[in-house]
Amino acid sequence: MRSDQSEDTVENVNTKAGVERRGFIALVVGWCALAVAFGSSAVASVRFLIPNVLYEPSRRFRLGRPEEFPEGSTFMEELRLFVLRKGNSFRALSAVCTHLGCTVNRAADGRTYFCPCHGSHFNETGGVSGGPAPKALSWHEMSVTKDGRLLVDLSRTVQPDKYLVV
């Protein structure tokens, strides 16, 4: 009879130890999960305090000296911009179509502009004269730098009747 009792005792001890072992592992896993949750929340909170700064290139470009531009229109392909000269006055017209952003071309008559992508037409002041474009082409502010070069600011728009007189 003693051997049966010793077997029961060994089984009870093993069963109790197994439950305790499982409970201990569950407790450790639970605490670890809680620590990871709090740690990631703390990291996210600290990261929130650091500002996200996007450094974009300047939207101001030096074009050249006024005497380098011929009378009429000069297309600046890399800027998608028309520089218009009439005597000693200058203007800058965007060549970006307001419909879907295609580059507009100057018509053969030299006064109007058209979009080859979807057929928008613009008059000599950049206003929409036909097609799907929702608004006129934009005119950009121009100025002269200290060294006498033309400077265009693509981040600032002006009215179509604004000229830079040099």
Side-chain angles (χ1 to χ4, degrees), residues 49-134:
L49 298 174
I50 301 169
N52 291 329
V53 179
L54 177 62
Y55 296 102
E56 294 183 3
S58 175
R59 301 288 294 156
R60 298 175 67 177
F61 297 96
R62 289 181 179 200
L63 301 178
R65 300 198 179 280
E67 58 271 7
E68 295 173 3
F69 291 92
E71 188 76 19
S73 174
T74 304
F75 180 63
M76 311 291 288
E77 187 174 351
E78 62 278 357
L79 300 177
R80 293 173 44 168
L81 184 76
F82 289 102
V83 177
L84 306 171
R85 179 180 183 178
K86 186 174 185 181
N88 63 347
S89 62
F90 292 87
R91 301 191 309 168
L93 176 65
S94 174
V96 178
C97 181
T98 56
H99 177 230
L100 291 176
C102 299
T103 303
V104 300
N105 296 324
R106 193 163 180 109
D109 65 7
R111 295 173 28 138
T112 60
Y113 305 89
F114 69 95
C115 178
C117 300
H118 301 101
S120 293
H121 290 275
F122 303 92
N123 60 24
E124 58 190 20
T125 62
V128 179
S129 59

